Amino acid sequence: PRQPAKTLWYDRPRYVYLEFCVEDSRDVKVVIEDQRLVFSCRNADGVEFYNEINLYARVNSKDSREKRSDRSITCFMRKWKEKVAWPRITKENIKPAWLFVDFDNWRDWEGDEEMERAMVEQYAEV
């Protein structure tokens, strides 16, 4: 049986970030489309995780990436319309039980573009 992975998200002027919290992930598949993201993987115990998110707004799938670490898989998706805040990550106005706002990374945007650029470059290097 598969289950959704706990997912954290936060919004920035140019990107939206999603972090799928799965330790020791294997067989990671991330499909980023213009209006949808599909994530799947297994953990060390063989549990299968699957999340499908119809996105609140359009993203540039060609300028979107993911990065895997021992503890999670982080996706950063380039917004089609920059500097437009997303009130939620999902198209539907219902919050799935597995989806949480990442308050540790949520900030006011003012003067935030330099930090965001540095974060994206850091991800791109890996």
PDB file of all heavy atoms in Angstrom, residues 42-68:
ATOM      1  N   ARG A  42      10.296   5.213  -2.491  1.00  0.00           N
ATOM      2  CA  ARG A  42      10.200   4.217  -1.418  1.00  0.00           C
ATOM      3  C   ARG A  42      11.191   4.617  -0.341  1.00  0.00           C
ATOM      4  O   ARG A  42      12.188   5.262  -0.624  1.00  0.00           O
ATOM      5  CB  ARG A  42      10.580   2.824  -1.928  1.00  0.00           C
ATOM      6  CG  ARG A  42       9.656   2.266  -2.952  1.00  0.00           C
ATOM      7  CD  ARG A  42      10.103   0.863  -3.385  1.00  0.00           C
ATOM      8  NE  ARG A  42       9.340   0.401  -4.521  1.00  0.00           N
ATOM      9  CZ  ARG A  42       8.112  -0.104  -4.435  1.00  0.00           C
ATOM     10  NH1 ARG A  42       7.517  -0.207  -3.274  1.00  0.00           N
ATOM     11  NH2 ARG A  42       7.474  -0.498  -5.507  1.00  0.00           N
ATOM     12  N   ASN A  43      10.913   4.202   0.888  1.00  0.00           N
ATOM     13  CA  ASN A  43      11.905   4.417   1.949  1.00  0.00           C
ATOM     14  C   ASN A  43      12.678   3.119   2.182  1.00  0.00           C
ATOM     15  O   ASN A  43      12.460   2.118   1.493  1.00  0.00           O
ATOM     16  CB  ASN A  43      11.255   4.969   3.227  1.00  0.00           C
ATOM     17  CG  ASN A  43      10.347   3.968   3.917  1.00  0.00           C
ATOM     18  OD1 ASN A  43      10.257   2.799   3.548  1.00  0.00           O
ATOM     19  ND2 ASN A  43       9.650   4.435   4.940  1.00  0.00           N
ATOM     20  N   ALA A  44      13.571   3.123   3.158  1.00  0.00           N
ATOM     21  CA  ALA A  44      14.429   1.960   3.420  1.00  0.00           C
ATOM     22  C   ALA A  44      13.623   0.718   3.795  1.00  0.00           C
ATOM     23  O   ALA A  44      14.047  -0.409   3.559  1.00  0.00           O
ATOM     24  CB  ALA A  44      15.432   2.294   4.525  1.00  0.00           C
ATOM     25  N   ASP A  45      12.432   0.927   4.373  1.00  0.00           N
ATOM     26  CA  ASP A  45      11.572  -0.200   4.767  1.00  0.00           C
ATOM     27  C   ASP A  45      10.692  -0.691   3.626  1.00  0.00           C
ATOM     28  O   ASP A  45       9.866  -1.585   3.819  1.00  0.00           O
ATOM     29  CB  ASP A  45      10.679   0.205   5.952  1.00  0.00           C
ATOM     30  CG  ASP A  45      11.500   0.572   7.173  1.00  0.00           C
ATOM     31  OD1 ASP A  45      12.587  -0.016   7.370  1.00  0.00           O
ATOM     32  OD2 ASP A  45      11.064   1.466   7.926  1.00  0.00           O
ATOM     33  N   GLY A  46      10.819  -0.072   2.449  1.00  0.00           N
ATOM     34  CA  GLY A  46      10.028  -0.493   1.300  1.00  0.00           C
ATOM     35  C   GLY A  46       8.651   0.131   1.224  1.00  0.00           C
ATOM     36  O   GLY A  46       7.851  -0.219   0.359  1.00  0.00           O
ATOM     37  N   VAL A  47       8.350   1.071   2.131  1.00  0.00           N
ATOM     38  CA  VAL A  47       7.051   1.755   2.077  1.00  0.00           C
ATOM     39  C   VAL A  47       7.047   2.677   0.858  1.00  0.00           C
ATOM     40  O   VAL A  47       8.008   3.410   0.607  1.00  0.00           O
ATOM     41  CB  VAL A  47       6.805   2.576   3.366  1.00  0.00           C
ATOM     42  CG1 VAL A  47       5.505   3.372   3.262  1.00  0.00           C
ATOM     43  CG2 VAL A  47       6.776   1.661   4.580  1.00  0.00           C
ATOM     44  N   GLU A  48       5.963   2.625   0.091  1.00  0.00           N
ATOM     45  CA  GLU A  48       5.853   3.435  -1.113  1.00  0.00           C
ATOM     46  C   GLU A  48       5.107   4.729  -0.792  1.00  0.00           C
ATOM     47  O   GLU A  48       4.027   4.701  -0.191  1.00  0.00           O
ATOM     48  CB  GLU A  48       5.114   2.654  -2.197  1.00  0.00           C
ATOM     49  CG  GLU A  48       5.147   3.332  -3.540  1.00  0.00           C
ATOM     50  CD  GLU A  48       4.456   2.512  -4.627  1.00  0.00           C
ATOM     51  OE1 GLU A  48       4.358   1.285  -4.476  1.00  0.00           O
ATOM     52  OE2 GLU A  48       4.011   3.136  -5.600  1.00  0.00           O
ATOM     53  N   PHE A  49       5.702   5.853  -1.199  1.00  0.00           N
ATOM     54  CA  PHE A  49       5.077   7.163  -0.999  1.00  0.00           C
ATOM     55  C   PHE A  49       4.664   7.721  -2.348  1.00  0.00           C
ATOM     56  O   PHE A  49       5.361   7.538  -3.353  1.00  0.00           O
ATOM     57  CB  PHE A  49       6.068   8.124  -0.328  1.00  0.00           C
ATOM     58  CG  PHE A  49       6.383   7.730   1.084  1.00  0.00           C
ATOM     59  CD1 PHE A  49       7.464   6.910   1.362  1.00  0.00           C
ATOM     60  CD2 PHE A  49       5.596   8.172   2.136  1.00  0.00           C
ATOM     61  CE1 PHE A  49       7.760   6.526   2.657  1.00  0.00           C
ATOM     62  CE2 PHE A  49       5.880   7.793   3.435  1.00  0.00           C
ATOM     63  CZ  PHE A  49       6.966   6.974   3.700  1.00  0.00           C
ATOM     64  N   TYR A  50       3.518   8.410  -2.354  1.00  0.00           N
ATOM     65  CA  TYR A  50       3.007   8.990  -3.594  1.00  0.00           C
ATOM     66  C   TYR A  50       2.217  10.249  -3.273  1.00  0.00           C
ATOM     67  O   TYR A  50       1.325  10.216  -2.426  1.00  0.00           O
ATOM     68  CB  TYR A  50       2.095   7.980  -4.315  1.00  0.00           C
ATOM     69  CG  TYR A  50       1.520   8.510  -5.603  1.00  0.00           C
ATOM     70  CD1 TYR A  50       2.229   8.392  -6.798  1.00  0.00           C
ATOM     71  CD2 TYR A  50       0.281   9.129  -5.620  1.00  0.00           C
ATOM     72  CE1 TYR A  50       1.699   8.883  -7.992  1.00  0.00           C
ATOM     73  CE2 TYR A  50      -0.253   9.625  -6.809  1.00  0.00           C
ATOM     74  CZ  TYR A  50       0.464   9.496  -7.987  1.00  0.00           C
ATOM     75  OH  TYR A  50      -0.050   9.992  -9.152  1.00  0.00           O
ATOM     76  N   ASN A  51       2.585  11.350  -3.895  1.00  0.00           N
ATOM     77  CA  ASN A  51       1.846  12.602  -3.749  1.00  0.00           C
ATOM     78  C   ASN A  51       1.595  13.155  -5.140  1.00  0.00           C
ATOM     79  O   ASN A  51       2.487  13.142  -5.996  1.00  0.00           O
ATOM     80  CB  ASN A  51       2.657  13.649  -2.973  1.00  0.00           C
ATOM     81  CG  ASN A  51       2.985  13.228  -1.562  1.00  0.00           C
ATOM     82  OD1 ASN A  51       3.653  12.227  -1.341  1.00  0.00           O
ATOM     83  ND2 ASN A  51       2.515  13.982  -0.604  1.00  0.00           N
ATOM     84  N   GLU A  52       0.385  13.635  -5.337  1.00  0.00           N
ATOM     85  CA  GLU A  52       0.037  14.315  -6.582  1.00  0.00           C
ATOM     86  C   GLU A  52      -0.606  15.634  -6.204  1.00  0.00           C
ATOM     87  O   GLU A  52      -1.547  15.662  -5.402  1.00  0.00           O
ATOM     88  CB  GLU A  52      -0.930  13.455  -7.402  1.00  0.00           C
ATOM     89  CG  GLU A  52      -1.214  14.029  -8.757  1.00  0.00           C
ATOM     90  CD  GLU A  52      -2.014  13.082  -9.643  1.00  0.00           C
ATOM     91  OE1 GLU A  52      -1.909  11.847  -9.464  1.00  0.00           O
ATOM     92  OE2 GLU A  52      -2.752  13.592 -10.489  1.00  0.00           O
ATOM     93  N   ILE A  53      -0.065  16.713  -6.747  1.00  0.00           N
ATOM     94  CA  ILE A  53      -0.550  18.049  -6.378  1.00  0.00           C
ATOM     95  C   ILE A  53      -0.914  18.809  -7.652  1.00  0.00           C
ATOM     96  O   ILE A  53      -0.063  19.009  -8.533  1.00  0.00           O
ATOM     97  CB  ILE A  53       0.526  18.836  -5.596  1.00  0.00           C
ATOM     98  CG1 ILE A  53       0.895  18.093  -4.311  1.00  0.00           C
ATOM     99  CG2 ILE A  53       0.042  20.253  -5.298  1.00  0.00           C
ATOM    100  CD1 ILE A  53       2.095  18.668  -3.593  1.00  0.00           C
ATOM    101  N   ASN A  54      -2.185  19.195  -7.749  1.00  0.00           N
ATOM    102  CA  ASN A  54      -2.601  20.130  -8.782  1.00  0.00           C
ATOM    103  C   ASN A  54      -2.249  21.515  -8.256  1.00  0.00           C
ATOM    104  O   ASN A  54      -2.781  21.947  -7.237  1.00  0.00           O
ATOM    105  CB  ASN A  54      -4.098  20.005  -9.068  1.00  0.00           C
ATOM    106  CG  ASN A  54      -4.415  18.683  -9.733  1.00  0.00           C
ATOM    107  OD1 ASN A  54      -3.742  18.277 -10.668  1.00  0.00           O
ATOM    108  ND2 ASN A  54      -5.430  18.004  -9.232  1.00  0.00           N
ATOM    109  N   LEU A  55      -1.332  22.188  -8.931  1.00  0.00           N
ATOM    110  CA  LEU A  55      -0.750  23.425  -8.413  1.00  0.00           C
ATOM    111  C   LEU A  55      -1.701  24.611  -8.498  1.00  0.00           C
ATOM    112  O   LEU A  55      -2.509  24.715  -9.427  1.00  0.00           O
ATOM    113  CB  LEU A  55       0.545  23.739  -9.165  1.00  0.00           C
ATOM    114  CG  LEU A  55       1.630  22.678  -9.021  1.00  0.00           C
ATOM    115  CD1 LEU A  55       2.754  22.941 -10.020  1.00  0.00           C
ATOM    116  CD2 LEU A  55       2.157  22.648  -7.597  1.00  0.00           C
ATOM    117  N   TYR A  56      -1.544  25.507  -7.540  1.00  0.00           N
ATOM    118  CA  TYR A  56      -2.374  26.708  -7.444  1.00  0.00           C
ATOM    119  C   TYR A  56      -2.300  27.539  -8.728  1.00  0.00           C
ATOM    120  O   TYR A  56      -3.307  28.044  -9.211  1.00  0.00           O
ATOM    121  CB  TYR A  56      -1.924  27.548  -6.248  1.00  0.00           C
ATOM    122  CG  TYR A  56      -2.598  28.886  -6.171  1.00  0.00           C
ATOM    123  CD1 TYR A  56      -3.902  28.993  -5.709  1.00  0.00           C
ATOM    124  CD2 TYR A  56      -1.941  30.042  -6.575  1.00  0.00           C
ATOM    125  CE1 TYR A  56      -4.550  30.221  -5.653  1.00  0.00           C
ATOM    126  CE2 TYR A  56      -2.567  31.267  -6.522  1.00  0.00           C
ATOM    127  CZ  TYR A  56      -3.872  31.357  -6.060  1.00  0.00           C
ATOM    128  OH  TYR A  56      -4.501  32.564  -6.020  1.00  0.00           O
ATOM    129  N   ALA A  57      -1.104  27.686  -9.267  1.00  0.00           N
ATOM    130  CA  ALA A  57      -0.916  28.471 -10.492  1.00  0.00           C
ATOM    131  C   ALA A  57       0.140  27.774 -11.346  1.00  0.00           C
ATOM    132  O   ALA A  57       0.753  26.793 -10.943  1.00  0.00           O
ATOM    133  CB  ALA A  57      -0.488  29.897 -10.154  1.00  0.00           C
ATOM    134  N   ARG A  58       0.341  28.323 -12.526  1.00  0.00           N
ATOM    135  CA  ARG A  58       1.249  27.707 -13.482  1.00  0.00           C
ATOM    136  C   ARG A  58       2.714  27.923 -13.081  1.00  0.00           C
ATOM    137  O   ARG A  58       3.075  28.985 -12.577  1.00  0.00           O
ATOM    138  CB  ARG A  58       0.983  28.341 -14.846  1.00  0.00           C
ATOM    139  CG  ARG A  58       1.611  27.632 -15.980  1.00  0.00           C
ATOM    140  CD  ARG A  58       1.065  28.184 -17.278  1.00  0.00           C
ATOM    141  NE  ARG A  58       1.824  27.619 -18.380  1.00  0.00           N
ATOM    142  CZ  ARG A  58       1.925  28.187 -19.559  1.00  0.00           C
ATOM    143  NH1 ARG A  58       1.309  29.327 -19.803  1.00  0.00           N
ATOM    144  NH2 ARG A  58       2.622  27.621 -20.500  1.00  0.00           N
ATOM    145  N   VAL A  59       3.542  26.913 -13.320  1.00  0.00           N
ATOM    146  CA  VAL A  59       4.988  27.026 -13.111  1.00  0.00           C
ATOM    147  C   VAL A  59       5.704  26.752 -14.436  1.00  0.00           C
ATOM    148  O   VAL A  59       5.126  26.199 -15.367  1.00  0.00           O
ATOM    149  CB  VAL A  59       5.497  26.049 -12.029  1.00  0.00           C
ATOM    150  CG1 VAL A  59       4.885  26.366 -10.674  1.00  0.00           C
ATOM    151  CG2 VAL A  59       5.254  24.598 -12.405  1.00  0.00           C
ATOM    152  N   ASN A  60       6.955  27.150 -14.495  1.00  0.00           N
ATOM    153  CA  ASN A  60       7.787  26.870 -15.661  1.00  0.00           C
ATOM    154  C   ASN A  60       8.494  25.542 -15.404  1.00  0.00           C
ATOM    155  O   ASN A  60       9.512  25.497 -14.718  1.00  0.00           O
ATOM    156  CB  ASN A  60       8.791  28.010 -15.867  1.00  0.00           C
ATOM    157  CG  ASN A  60       9.643  27.787 -17.096  1.00  0.00           C
ATOM    158  OD1 ASN A  60       9.715  26.691 -17.639  1.00  0.00           O
ATOM    159  ND2 ASN A  60      10.310  28.842 -17.533  1.00  0.00           N
ATOM    160  N   SER A  61       7.943  24.479 -15.921  1.00  0.00           N
ATOM    161  CA  SER A  61       8.465  23.135 -15.625  1.00  0.00           C
ATOM    162  C   SER A  61       9.899  22.952 -16.111  1.00  0.00           C
ATOM    163  O   SER A  61      10.656  22.186 -15.526  1.00  0.00           O
ATOM    164  CB  SER A  61       7.553  22.069 -16.226  1.00  0.00           C
ATOM    165  OG  SER A  61       7.404  22.273 -17.616  1.00  0.00           O
ATOM    166  N   LYS A  62      10.301  23.697 -17.149  1.00  0.00           N
ATOM    167  CA  LYS A  62      11.665  23.556 -17.669  1.00  0.00           C
ATOM    168  C   LYS A  62      12.693  24.232 -16.762  1.00  0.00           C
ATOM    169  O   LYS A  62      13.876  23.927 -16.829  1.00  0.00           O
ATOM    170  CB  LYS A  62      11.735  24.123 -19.082  1.00  0.00           C
ATOM    171  CG  LYS A  62      10.971  23.267 -20.080  1.00  0.00           C
ATOM    172  CD  LYS A  62      10.953  23.909 -21.460  1.00  0.00           C
ATOM    173  CE  LYS A  62      10.185  23.100 -22.483  1.00  0.00           C
ATOM    174  NZ  LYS A  62       8.919  22.561 -22.018  1.00  0.00           N
ATOM    175  N   ASP A  63      12.249  25.161 -15.921  1.00  0.00           N
ATOM    176  CA  ASP A  63      13.159  25.864 -15.013  1.00  0.00           C
ATOM    177  C   ASP A  63      12.819  25.491 -13.567  1.00  0.00           C
ATOM    178  O   ASP A  63      12.784  26.331 -12.688  1.00  0.00           O
ATOM    179  CB  ASP A  63      13.076  27.379 -15.222  1.00  0.00           C
ATOM    180  CG  ASP A  63      14.201  28.115 -14.507  1.00  0.00           C
ATOM    181  OD1 ASP A  63      15.180  27.454 -14.116  1.00  0.00           O
ATOM    182  OD2 ASP A  63      14.089  29.333 -14.316  1.00  0.00           O
ATOM    183  N   SER A  64      12.536  24.221 -13.358  1.00  0.00           N
ATOM    184  CA  SER A  64      12.211  23.706 -12.031  1.00  0.00           C
ATOM    185  C   SER A  64      13.103  22.499 -11.766  1.00  0.00           C
ATOM    186  O   SER A  64      13.457  21.776 -12.691  1.00  0.00           O
ATOM    187  CB  SER A  64      10.734  23.313 -11.962  1.00  0.00           C
ATOM    188  OG  SER A  64       9.920  24.450 -12.203  1.00  0.00           O
ATOM    189  N   ARG A  65      13.469  22.302 -10.507  1.00  0.00           N
ATOM    190  CA  ARG A  65      14.433  21.252 -10.164  1.00  0.00           C
ATOM    191  C   ARG A  65      14.029  20.535  -8.884  1.00  0.00           C
ATOM    192  O   ARG A  65      13.191  21.012  -8.134  1.00  0.00           O
ATOM    193  CB  ARG A  65      15.816  21.858  -9.920  1.00  0.00           C
ATOM    194  CG  ARG A  65      16.331  22.756 -11.007  1.00  0.00           C
ATOM    195  CD  ARG A  65      17.274  22.028 -11.947  1.00  0.00           C
ATOM    196  NE  ARG A  65      17.777  22.884 -13.008  1.00  0.00           N
ATOM    197  CZ  ARG A  65      17.124  23.171 -14.122  1.00  0.00           C
ATOM    198  NH1 ARG A  65      15.919  22.704 -14.321  1.00  0.00           N
ATOM    199  NH2 ARG A  65      17.653  23.929 -15.055  1.00  0.00           N
ATOM    200  N   GLU A  66      14.723  19.437  -8.614  1.00  0.00           N
ATOM    201  CA  GLU A  66      14.579  18.787  -7.313  1.00  0.00           C
ATOM    202  C   GLU A  66      15.959  18.388  -6.825  1.00  0.00           C
ATOM    203  O   GLU A  66      16.894  18.225  -7.624  1.00  0.00           O
ATOM    204  CB  GLU A  66      13.632  17.599  -7.356  1.00  0.00           C
ATOM    205  CG  GLU A  66      14.170  16.352  -7.969  1.00  0.00           C
ATOM    206  CD  GLU A  66      13.951  16.258  -9.472  1.00  0.00           C
ATOM    207  OE1 GLU A  66      13.221  17.079 -10.058  1.00  0.00           O
ATOM    208  OE2 GLU A  66      14.539  15.351 -10.065  1.00  0.00           O
ATOM    209  N   LYS A  67      16.076  18.260  -5.518  1.00  0.00           N
ATOM    210  CA  LYS A  67      17.349  17.880  -4.894  1.00  0.00           C
ATOM    211  C   LYS A  67      17.044  16.870  -3.798  1.00  0.00           C
ATOM    212  O   LYS A  67      16.219  17.124  -2.931  1.00  0.00           O
ATOM    213  CB  LYS A  67      18.012  19.122  -4.312  1.00  0.00           C
ATOM    214  CG  LYS A  67      19.297  18.827  -3.565  1.00  0.00           C
ATOM    215  CD  LYS A  67      19.791  20.080  -2.868  1.00  0.00           C
ATOM    216  CE  LYS A  67      20.874  19.754  -1.881  1.00  0.00           C
ATOM    217  NZ  LYS A  67      21.189  20.872  -1.021  1.00  0.00           N
ATOM    218  N   ARG A  68      17.734  15.747  -3.847  1.00  0.00           N
ATOM    219  CA  ARG A  68      17.530  14.696  -2.852  1.00  0.00           C
ATOM    220  C   ARG A  68      18.613  14.772  -1.791  1.00  0.00           C
ATOM    221  O   ARG A  68      19.784  14.974  -2.093  1.00  0.00           O
ATOM    222  CB  ARG A  68      17.586  13.336  -3.552  1.00  0.00           C
ATOM    223  CG  ARG A  68      17.291  12.167  -2.652  1.00  0.00           C
ATOM    224  CD  ARG A  68      17.532  10.845  -3.387  1.00  0.00           C
ATOM    225  NE  ARG A  68      17.592   9.771  -2.425  1.00  0.00           N
ATOM    226  CZ  ARG A  68      18.693   9.433  -1.740  1.00  0.00           C
ATOM    227  NH1 ARG A  68      19.814  10.084  -1.919  1.00  0.00           N
ATOM    228  NH2 ARG A  68      18.652   8.453  -0.870  1.00  0.00           N
TER     229      ARG A  68
END
